Amino acid sequence: MDIQIRDCMSALAEMPDESVDCILTDPPYGETSLAWDRWPDGWPAAVRRVLKRTGSMWCFGSQRMFLEHAAEFAGWKMSHDVVWEKHNGTGLFNDRFRRVHELALHFYRDDARWADVYKCPQYTNDARARTVRKKGRPAQWIGATGETVYRSEDGGPRLMRSVLFSRSEHGKALHPTQKPISIVEPLLLYACPPGGIVLDIFAGSGTVGVCADRHGMKAILIEADHTFEDIIRTRIEGDAPLLKIGV
Ligand SMILES: C[S@@+](CC[C@H](N)C(=O)[O-])C[C@H]1O[C@@H](n2cnc3c(N)ncnc32)[C@H](O)[C@@H]1O
């Protein structure tokens, strides 16, 4: 685990071209007056340079944040997006709908072919078995005649849905915008090959590092605020999942 407590732009300037397998990051959305909540200009171009052409980037944010900085995502193609549905809202504005979701957008380099980009679709086993009625006899039907009803579903696995529900970390978080492991983990497994290197340039409390460590991946974590260094290390060292792969 490579933990660097410094400004991400200067750290990125020292990194070699095309040296990481994926990026999973959660930038300052720029929606509050908190000192750390400022978007560093030019970071999407700076991380693009260090990403392998077979790699991709998940970026958390709000729709407003992405639209405000849309020009900075030139050089990227967007492939899909995931919604994190929370149990509570952020309550930032009392003249709008209470926001109970955040976005994670998935991008790849515009000089890469989607077919060459590493991706590992995620599955769940929560589909319900159900009875399907057919008007005609199904093609694979052998045996009894006249029957138009058959069991076709086994209850899973199914492709993971693009809306993921998870309680926010409110009340137990070590960082004001800490992301839940249950949201970060499937994004990481989707984009980072086994044993690969993930880069998070806005590491906060190190959630991406905790997930990477659980799955035997290497993480480069960059965070400007030194008060999070011990928190990141303690979280990663203290994490004891039931199953830790590759260690
Ligand atoms: C939205 S938070 C990330 C929270 C993280 N996902 C977690 O689960 O704890 C963004 C973080 O970026 C950091 N940050 C802001 N500007 C930065 C910069 N120029 N370089 C590095 N980190 C920066 C902030 O200090 C803050 O901790």
Side-chain angles (χ1 to χ4, degrees):
M1 199 69 50
D2 177 0
I3 300 167
Q4 302 182 31
I5 303 300
R6 58 190 296 198
D7 171 64
C8 64
M9 298 304 281
S10 64
L12 284 165
E14 290 171 19
M15 288 179 64
D17 290 355
E18 302 187 23
S19 53
V20 303
D21 293 293
C22 80
I23 297 157
L24 202 172
T25 204
D26 179 20
Y29 296 7
E31 293 182 332
T32 68
S33 55
L34 295 170
W36 59 264
D37 195 14
R38 297 210 188 96
W39 176 276
D41 288 332
W43 74 259
V47 287
R48 181 184 179 280
R49 182 185 64 76
V50 304
L51 180 67
K52 292 180 187 171
R53 274 161 218 252
T54 51
S56 63
M57 168 169 78
W58 283 108
C59 179
F60 280 100
S62 65
Q63 180 79 336
R64 203 164 60 152
M65 180 201 92
F66 284 111
L67 289 175
E68 218 162 90
H69 300 285
E72 290 199 45
F73 288 89
W76 292 95
K77 283 187 194 160
M78 201 200 119
S79 47
H80 55 151
D81 57 301
V82 159
V83 175
W84 166 30
E85 183 191 357
K86 315 176 198 184
H87 75 287
N88 62 358
T90 48
L92 283 179
F93 310 104
N94 61 9
D95 57 354
R96 305 166 204 201
F97 286 89
R98 187 161 59 95
R99 193 167 72 190
V100 292
H101 74 284
E102 289 183 36
L103 302 174
L105 269 49
H106 185 245
F107 298 92
Y108 62 105
R109 290 173 58 138
D110 67 352
D111 55 357
R113 285 186 338 136
W114 175 244
D116 298 331
V117 173
Y118 175 86
K119 57 252 185 204
C120 178
Q122 297 298 296
Y123 294 88
T124 58
N125 285 310
D126 57 358
R128 296 235 180 111
R130 63 192 169 107
T131 302
V132 177
R133 285 177 192 279
K134 282 269 184 187
K135 280 196 182 123
R137 196 191 286 179
Q140 73 273 27
W141 193 262
I142 300 168
T145 55
E147 186 59 83
T148 55
V149 174
Y150 71 111
R151 300 282 289 178
S152 77
E153 308 262 348
D154 59 7
R158 299 286 180 269
L159 275 176
M160 198 173 266
R161 288 161 51 92
S162 60
V163 177
L164 301 173
F165 177 81
S166 178
R167 293 184 69 80
S168 72
E169 301 288 276
H170 186 72
K172 54 186 170 152
L174 301 165
H175 188 287
T177 64
Q178 189 169 316
K179 296 291 173 286
I181 299 270
S182 56
I183 297 298
V184 172
E185 202 161 42
L187 306 186
L188 179 67
L189 291 172
Y190 179 89
C192 192
I197 303 175
V198 56
L199 170 67
D200 181 0
I201 61 165
F202 302 110
S205 60
T207 310
V208 168
V210 173
C211 294
D213 189 55
R214 281 188 184 186
H215 292 280
M217 296 157 181
K218 297 171 203 80
I220 302 173
L221 306 176
I222 303 169
E223 167 56 49
D225 185 340
H226 67 91
T227 57
F228 289 108
E229 180 167 15
D230 285 348
I231 289 171
I232 296 173
R233 290 190 196 283
T234 308
R235 273 191 88 194
I236 293 171
E237 282 160 21
D239 184 55
L242 286 176
L243 184 63
K244 198 163 174 171
I245 297 164
V247 285

